[in-house]
């Protein structure tokens, strides 16, 4: 093997800025879902004009003014996520887990002889997104190989200049090789290290490709809210949000069962298969401001509006790769160093308009209309300009509209709830919208309440195995089932 000829070059920051942080990160960390307490999720998050619900403080903080008692709530949830890929072979993979949807405390302070009937405070946190997912992709390809992609980004670079995440590991494991392998007897090194490479793989011959992706983590938000009630007619509120990100992804890409391979010089026999593993860890924290108002037009009609500032995130990422080749005679593995990088992400602003109506003092209907412009997102760093990535964000993303509908009916001693929401596609030229169907049941005796909810989420997406210059995106269908339970106490 070539490993003894030269030490591995040190990984530089320039390599990871092109391969880890990109428009996919910007979109992933800008999207939220109707998650939180069981009542909130059962009505698909349509709480922009309702209030009196802790998770709504991350939506319209004016709702805090409707609390007439202090309250504590706690919400665990169980999630089962399945993703089906369509690439020659239909594959479905699953992942389940437990999460905490909400923990919160509201302090209600009634005021006598004042137009402001209450000034309330709240502190706690809400779950905004769940990143737990498994994806398996498998199919045959007779037009390209990921080795073609690696070969293309390697051409023109001397061995000690190769990209240290992909090209260098491919070289040191003999996936690619210098085209002229003659050795200079004086130096013991290649006679012509001029940056011309060839691959063991014939891209236009049949091969089986497989990729397994395992991701976990979530986005949660610490909330600090204040608001009040003006004559029980106008409710105003503000929330300072401190969202935190935790995302981990490990993927393994494999090619095997080659119909044909090239005959470049190798003392290890024929190449049987190879594996490329990538590992990404992301941690971040941000800051945003939410302002809201709810107007009680009549006893049976309320209107609400809220404005969310962009969230300014400070993010840390680590990223590494390893490549293993399996030849007839021997196997070789080369691991990159772990790359560390810091950058800032600005997510889009958000505007929410809401309305709710009470019929016969028994049936409640609510609706939210939300506008978010994903093309507003941007990435920044003192170490890298992100010019190309920000241009891509503005080009492929667009303004989206989200709709949430909810209903609640009292059938003593129970409260029955249902909801529907549709989150518009963030892509300018692709319809990757997401739908949520929710149902719930609750018991409320005044001093305590117990709520349960079921949520079915469905949406389409895609995954790019490697550069779209070589292969089309793989279609994905994601389905998530969630069971949510909330226990609350009033005092």
């Amino acid at each position: 093997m070539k490993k003894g000829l030269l030490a591995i070059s040190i990984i530089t920051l320039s390599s990871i800025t092109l391969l880890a942080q990109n428009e996919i990160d910007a979109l992933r960390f800008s999207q939220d879902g109707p998650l939180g307490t069981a009542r909130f999720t059962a009505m698909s998050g349509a709480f922009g004009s309702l209030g009196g619900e802790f998770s709504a403080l991350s939506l319209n903080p004016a709702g805090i003014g409707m609390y007439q008692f202090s309250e504590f709530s706690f919400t665990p949830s169980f999630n089962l996520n399945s993703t089906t890929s369509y690439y020659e072979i239909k594959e479905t993979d699953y992942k389940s887990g437990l999460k905490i949807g909400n923990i919160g405390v509201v302090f209600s302070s009634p005021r006598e002889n004042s137009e402001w009937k209450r000034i309330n405070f709240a502190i706690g946190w809400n779950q905004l997104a769940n990143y737990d997912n498994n994806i398996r992709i498998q199919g045959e390809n007779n037009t390209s190989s990921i080795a073609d992609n690696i070969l293309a980004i390697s051409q023109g670079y001397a061995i000690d200049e190769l990209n240290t995440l992909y090209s260098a590991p491919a070289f040191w494991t003999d996936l690619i090789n210098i085209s002229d392998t003659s050795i200079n007897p004086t130096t013991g090194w290649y006679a012509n290290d001029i940056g011309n490479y060839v691959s063991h793989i014939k891209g236009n011959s049949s091969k089986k490709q497989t990729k397994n992706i395992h991701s976990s983590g979530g986005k949660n938000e610490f909330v600090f809210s204040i608001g009040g009630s003006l004559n029980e007619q106008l409710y105003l509120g503000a929330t300072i949000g401190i969202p935190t990100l935790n995302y981990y992804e490990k993927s393994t890409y494999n090619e095997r069962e080659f119909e044909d391979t090239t005959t470049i010089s190798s003392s290890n026999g024929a190449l049987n298969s190879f594996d490329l593993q990538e590992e990404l860890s992301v941690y971040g924290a941000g800051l945003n401001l939410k302002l809201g108002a709810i107007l009680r037009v009549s006893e049976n009609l309320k209107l609400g509006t809220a404005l969310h500032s962009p969230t300014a995130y400070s993010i840390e990422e680590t990223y590494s790769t390893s490549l293993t080749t399996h030849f007839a005679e021997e196997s070789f593995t080369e691991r990159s160093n772990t790359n560390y990088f810091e950058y800032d992400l600005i997510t889009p602003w958000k505007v929410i308009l809401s309305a709710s109506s009470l019929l016969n003092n028994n049936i409640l209907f609510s609706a939210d209309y939300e506008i978010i412009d994903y093309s507003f997102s941007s990435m920044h760093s003192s170490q890298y300009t992100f010019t190309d990535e920000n241009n891509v964000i503005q080009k492929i993303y667009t303004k989206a509209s989200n709709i949430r509908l909810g209903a609640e009916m009292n059938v003593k001693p129970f409260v029955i709830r249902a909801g529907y929401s549709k989150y518009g596609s963030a892509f300018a030229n692709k319809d990757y919208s997401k739908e949520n169907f929710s149902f719930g049941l609750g018991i409320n005796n005044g001093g305590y309440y117990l709520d349960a909810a079921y949520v079915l989420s469905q949406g389409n997406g895609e995954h790019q195995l490697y550069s779209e210059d070589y292969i089309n995106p793989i279609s994905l269908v994601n389905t998530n089932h969630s069971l949510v339970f909330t226990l609350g106490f009033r005092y």
Side-chain angles (χ1 to χ4, degrees), residues 24 83 85 87 89 91-93 134-139 146 166 208-214 249-256 274-279 319 462-467 471 474 476:
I24 298 174
T83 300
S85 64
Y87 175 46
I89 299 175
E91 293 279 358
T92 302
D93 208 346
N134 286 341
I135 302 173
R136 179 173 174 81
I137 298 170
Q138 185 171 207
I146 197 173
Y166 297 98
K208 181 168 287 188
Q209 298 175 323
T210 302
K211 189 170 186 180
N212 291 287
I213 306 166
H214 306 284
E249 180 180 304
K250 185 175 183 179
S251 67
T252 302
Y253 174 91
N254 171 271
E255 287 191 15
R256 63 191 184 280
F274 69 90
D275 302 283
L276 173 64
Q277 188 174 96
E278 300 170 279
E279 192 168 4
Y319 186 77
E462 63 181 31
H463 180 77
Q464 192 71 51
L465 281 178
Y466 42 97
S467 173
I471 188 171
I474 309 302
L476 304 176

Side-chain angles (χ1 to χ4, degrees), residues 1 173-174 200 266-273 325-332:
M1 187 182 174
T173 58
D174 275 340
H200 261 295
S266 175
S267 60
N268 306 306
L271 177 65
N272 294 327
S273 66
T325 51
H326 304 280
F327 289 88
E329 302 296 331
E330 193 173 354
S331 296
F332 305 104

Side-chain angles (χ1 to χ4, degrees), residues 35-37 55 75-77 99-103 125-128 220 484:
L35 304 176
T37 65
S55 290
T75 304
S77 64
K99 295 283 186 178
I100 302 299
N102 135 272
I103 301 177
W125 69 278
N126 293 314
Q127 182 186 16
L128 301 182
N220 303 301
V484 186

